[in-house]
Amino acid sequence: MRTRTSLSFKLAALVLGVAGLVFAAVLSYNYVASRGVIVRQAEDRCRSLGRETANRIAAELKPVEQVVRNIALALEDASLTSGEITALARRVVDGNADIFAMAIAFEPYGMSPDRLFFAPYCHRSGGNVAVTQLGGPDYRYFYMDWYQLPKELERPVWTEPYRDEGGGGVLMTTFAAPFYRLEKGRRSFAGVVTADISLDWLQRNISGIHLFDTGYAFVISRNGTFISHPVESLLLNESIFSLAEGREDEELWRIGRSMSEGGTGFLERDSVRDGRPSFLFYTPLPLDGWSMGVLLPKQEVLSEASALQRNMLLIGLCGFVLLAAAVIWLARSITKPVRLLSDGAMQMASGDLDASLPDIRANDEVGDLAAAFLHMRDSLKEHIRNLTDTTAQKERIESELRIARDIQMGILPKLFPAFPDHQEFDVFASIEPAKEVGGDLYDFFFIDERRFCFLIGDVSDKGVPAAFFMAVTKTLLKAVAAQGFAPGEILRRVNNDLAEKNDSCMFVTLFLAVLDIDSGEVSYACAGHNPPVLLKSDGVSWVPPMNEPMAGAMEEIDYSTQVMTLAPGETLFLYTDGVTEAMNEQQELYSDERLLEVLDVLRDSGVERIVTTVAASICEHTGGAAQSDDITMLALRFAGRMKRFKEKADGIQE
């Protein structure tokens, strides 16, 4: 038994469902919008922090860079002695607290023709400035990176960070600038000026950056080496590229590449430190390819949006509960009278048209519905009385139509084989009316001992009028054909009889042929009917159309007679347009082409198999779609008189 769902439940479910969808949409939009605002604020905050940090670093480094550049410019004066150069470097270190050490390294034999090395190195030691000379068999400084890079690039560079083993393992970096001298009117490379600075201040600044609760910043060098990071094991031991390879993280490798090339970005990814989903911002620093990154835990960034979402969800749920209570109460108050009307309607549906209905006097739609039910009850009673009379009349008409169908089918030859004593030919026909009675017809009969007449026709209408017109046409054709006229003359006379006083303007298409059973000669005439198909052993083809008008439309129309000769084994297939115009549910026609394809396969088959196979093909094509027109087919196969003589001779011998 089907479960009953009350109207109040449906109404409440509909209203609450729509309200729930609207609430969910508002909640989702609010979360997405607030999340977008917070993420943009976090990105703007990171950009501001990046600019501020870059400015602080620039403020620390620019003076050092300027000092080195000035010394490199001063060294272009070749008049400075070795002592003056050393004293200059010492004064610079002593007077600049930010510079830990300075070296002025000349090209081999650049200071003196008898000195391979000249590179005074002034550095802080125990509160004083100590001076040593770089260069020797174990330390050929002109092969070092800090010397080769500015020489080859022809510009100042910051070197990769390193730990000063002699200075307590302090993290340092070096700014190296090339200097040149004029020799024989040509400016040539003469050496490198360097300044070493400690990066403790940079690490303190970066480690002092705190965003939210656990956000942190880090710095990598031009080659991706970690210079500052909360995970100390990464410092100078790992680069962002080696870390990416170890973790098989292509995205981290692409980020490192972008940072090394001076790019800026803001994206979502997991933290290297603890694997938590985070936002990463990175921006370049004024340190020759160095870059700073800031990692913000996503949960902390979006905590305000999540809190707002929870509060809105709680408020929305409370409002939804109140709305549900109000909707349920309203739905029940509205549907109670409807339930009472439903109970009364169920009694009426069970046959009790005298069932009492509730007295509802409300001046609204429910009151109108109650009045409509009362009117319906009275109307049903009257309708049932009328229906009883109509049903009786309909049954009588249907009975008469069944009788008319039996009578109509009875006037058509249905016994097959029709002429078992005649082996010269074989004939088979079928008809399937679209309604109880139809307008198609076929017939075949002997005119005399040698001439056999066969025909097929299609009346212009359907139903009872077409059936009467079909019966009249069949009777006239048989009566006129029995007088021995040629097929064209037969159609002319029948046309005149049908057209006389034809106020209904009905007409019929006809194909009529007369077969000489001895010679196979067929004389035929056509009144606007579909051309038959000739089945030969080597293929199938249409009988050439004669393009003459249908019968019954107007008087005094002359029809021509054509002649063809059937060879033994050849078949004529006659049909009405209900065959080729049969449609399936997609409104696709059966078509002339498909008919020829089916007949081509059947050209050596018997007439009954030809007709039944085509009928089955039509049924397969329509697929159960309603039949729109009568379907009639007739097939005649000529065997020849020689076959009959041979069979008789065989019987005599036996």
Side-chain angles (χ1 to χ4, degrees):
M1 182 178 179
R2 189 174 64 177
T3 303
R4 178 182 175 185
T5 304
S6 66
L7 182 60
S8 61
F9 175 80
K10 291 180 179 178
L11 181 60
L14 177 61
V15 174
L16 295 178
V18 172
L21 290 175
V22 173
F23 173 68
V26 171
L27 198 65
S28 300
Y29 174 78
N30 176 75
Y31 178 75
V32 172
S34 60
R35 182 185 187 277
V37 171
I38 291 173
V39 171
R40 285 193 296 273
Q41 290 176 347
E43 182 178 359
D44 293 341
R45 184 176 176 185
C46 288
R47 291 185 185 276
S48 299
L49 177 63
R51 287 193 296 269
E52 180 184 345
T53 304
N55 292 335
R56 284 203 308 268
I57 294 174
E60 292 284 343
L61 299 180
K62 291 301 179 183
V64 175
E65 292 181 357
Q66 191 60 44
V67 168
V68 174
R69 293 176 190 271
N70 291 338
I71 294 176
L73 186 62
L75 289 173
E76 293 187 3
D77 184 2
S79 64
L80 293 175
T81 65
S82 60
E84 290 173 339
I85 291 173
T86 303
L88 177 61
R90 184 169 187 169
R91 284 196 306 272
V92 170
V93 174
D94 190 44
N96 291 272
D98 294 332
I99 299 177
F100 179 79
M102 174 172 280
I104 302 175
F106 279 76
E107 278 279 84
Y109 306 107
M111 187 63 191
S112 175
D114 57 350
R115 294 183 66 178
L116 176 63
F117 304 105
F118 181 74
Y121 178 66
C122 302
H123 61 92
R124 299 183 186 278
S125 177
N128 297 315
V129 178
V131 179
T132 60
Q133 284 290 338
L134 300 178
D138 297 330
Y139 187 76
R140 295 180 177 268
Y141 62 80
F142 36 77
Y143 293 141
M144 299 293 109
D145 288 344
W146 58 265
Y147 191 92
Q148 286 291 323
L149 284 174
K151 177 181 179 180
E152 296 298 329
L153 297 176
E154 298 182 354
R155 63 175 177 82
V157 297
W158 285 95
T159 66
E160 285 291 295
Y162 58 92
R163 292 194 182 276
D164 181 23
E165 301 299 336
V170 177
L171 187 64
M172 304 187 73
T173 185
T174 298
F175 182 72
F179 65 89
Y180 301 86
R181 285 183 175 178
L182 289 175
E183 294 181 0
K184 298 179 181 181
R186 215 176 138 201
R187 190 169 180 265
S188 60
F189 177 76
V192 172
V193 181
T194 69
D196 301 339
I197 64 170
S198 170
L199 292 178
D200 285 346
W201 62 272
L202 177 64
Q203 290 184 309
R204 287 194 302 272
N205 280 336
I206 298 300
S207 61
I209 295 175
H210 295 291
L211 296 172
F212 299 96
D213 294 334
T214 58
Y216 64 88
F218 65 92
V219 175
I220 63 172
S221 68
R222 178 178 58 250
N223 294 334
T225 303
F226 286 102
I227 300 169
S228 176
H229 199 283
V231 180
E232 294 187 2
S233 61
L234 298 178
L235 298 180
L236 298 185
N237 295 325
E238 289 272 11
S239 72
I240 193 169
F241 301 109
S242 63
L243 192 64
E245 290 180 2
R247 295 172 175 243
E248 297 182 352
D249 190 341
E250 288 189 22
E251 183 187 35
L252 183 59
W253 192 91
R254 289 194 296 271
I255 292 171
R257 178 71 178 272
S258 178
M259 294 178 72
S260 297
E261 293 175 350
T264 300
F266 186 83
L267 67 155
E268 296 184 29
R269 66 161 287 110
D270 294 341
S271 170
V272 171
R273 181 174 66 177
D274 50 25
R276 295 168 61 189
S278 306
F279 294 105
L280 170 63
F281 172 79
Y282 58 89
T283 188
L285 295 177
L287 265 171
D288 200 12
W290 292 21
S291 183
M292 180 184 75
V294 179
L295 213 71
L296 310 175
K298 185 187 294 187
Q299 183 179 1
E300 297 173 9
V301 173
L302 301 177
S303 59
E304 294 183 4
S306 300
L308 177 62
Q309 190 77 353
R310 286 193 299 271
N311 293 337
M312 287 194 64
L313 180 62
L314 182 61
I315 294 172
L317 289 176
C318 293
F320 190 79
V321 170
L322 293 176
L323 177 64
V327 168
I328 292 173
W329 175 82
L330 181 62
R332 287 181 175 176
S333 64
I334 292 175
T335 57
K336 182 178 179 180
V338 177
R339 287 199 304 273
L340 297 176
L341 287 174
S342 175
D343 294 339
M346 288 297 293
Q347 293 181 5
M348 292 170 57
S350 64
D352 184 9
L353 296 181
D354 294 323
S356 60
L357 295 174
D359 185 15
I360 300 173
R361 301 182 181 277
N363 190 22
D364 54 17
E365 289 82 356
V366 177
D368 294 341
L369 181 62
F373 265 85
L374 290 171
H375 178 71
M376 180 184 69
R377 183 182 63 181
D378 298 338
S379 297
L380 277 175
K381 290 181 179 180
E382 180 64 25
H383 177 71
I384 288 175
R385 284 193 295 268
N386 295 334
L387 183 61
T388 302
D389 297 337
T390 303
T391 302
Q393 295 177 6
K394 183 179 178 181
E395 289 178 350
R396 184 173 64 254
I397 293 172
E398 288 178 350
S399 175
E400 292 173 353
L401 284 175
R402 285 193 297 270
I403 295 171
R405 177 188 176 91
D406 293 340
I407 293 172
Q408 184 188 28
M409 293 298 103
I411 67 175
L412 299 177
K414 299 188 299 295
L415 183 62
F416 299 101
F419 304 97
D421 294 337
H422 287 273
Q423 302 297 320
E424 302 90 344
F425 67 94
D426 194 7
V427 65
F428 189 85
S430 71
I431 184 170
E432 185 64 36
K435 297 184 178 180
E436 287 82 359
V437 289
D440 280 7
L441 69 144
Y442 70 85
D443 201 359
F444 46 82
F445 49 85
F446 273 97
I447 297 175
D448 53 35
E449 184 177 347
R450 289 181 53 187
R451 290 187 298 169
F452 178 73
C453 180
F454 57 97
L455 60 95
I456 192 168
D458 185 1
V459 178
S460 60
D461 202 356
K462 304 290 181 294
V464 175
F468 280 115
F469 200 81
M470 165 264 193
V472 171
T473 302
K474 179 182 179 300
T475 303
L476 288 173
L477 284 168
K478 193 163 187 178
V480 175
Q483 299 177 36
F485 296 115
E489 179 63 17
I490 295 173
L491 293 187
R492 189 187 73 80
R493 290 172 177 264
V494 170
N495 171 69
N496 289 338
D497 291 338
L498 292 175
E500 186 179 358
K501 297 182 180 179
N502 184 9
D503 297 333
S504 62
C505 295
M506 297 182 70
F507 59 86
V508 61
T509 64
L510 291 167
F511 183 88
L512 182 143
V514 177
L515 168 68
D516 187 323
I517 63 175
D518 288 339
S519 64
E521 182 182 270
V522 178
S523 57
Y524 61 92
C526 180
H529 197 76
N530 303 70
V533 181
L534 178 61
L535 285 68
K536 298 183 178 181
S537 59
D538 58 349
V540 297
S541 62
W542 303 107
V543 172
M546 302 174 69
N547 300 319
E548 295 184 345
M550 68 288 292
M554 62 181 67
E555 298 182 65
E556 300 303 331
I557 295 177
D558 293 329
Y559 293 93
S560 59
T561 299
Q562 300 291 334
V563 178
M564 63 178 170
T565 301
L566 295 179
E570 294 181 350
T571 302
L572 266 179
F573 180 80
L574 283 58
Y575 62 96
T576 58
D577 57 7
V579 172
T580 54
E581 295 177 4
M583 290 188 293
N584 57 18
E585 293 181 352
Q586 289 74 39
Q587 303 299 306
E588 297 172 338
L589 297 176
Y590 184 75
S591 78
D592 295 339
E593 292 77 11
R594 184 170 301 186
L595 176 62
L596 286 182
E597 289 176 4
V598 174
L599 292 177
D600 187 57
V601 178
L602 300 169
R603 60 180 182 267
D604 295 324
S605 302
V607 290
E608 182 175 359
R609 184 167 181 267
I610 291 174
V611 172
T612 56
T613 303
V614 172
S617 176
I618 294 171
C619 183
E620 180 182 359
H621 170 74
T622 57
Q627 183 178 335
S628 60
D629 198 358
D630 303 337
I631 296 176
T632 304
M633 294 175 281
L634 184 148
L636 180 137
R637 184 179 181 86
F638 179 65
R641 185 169 293 276
M642 292 301 298
K643 178 178 178 182
R644 184 179 70 171
F645 288 161
K646 182 177 182 302
E647 290 176 352
K648 287 184 177 181
D650 291 342
I652 294 172
Q653 290 176 3
E654 292 176 359

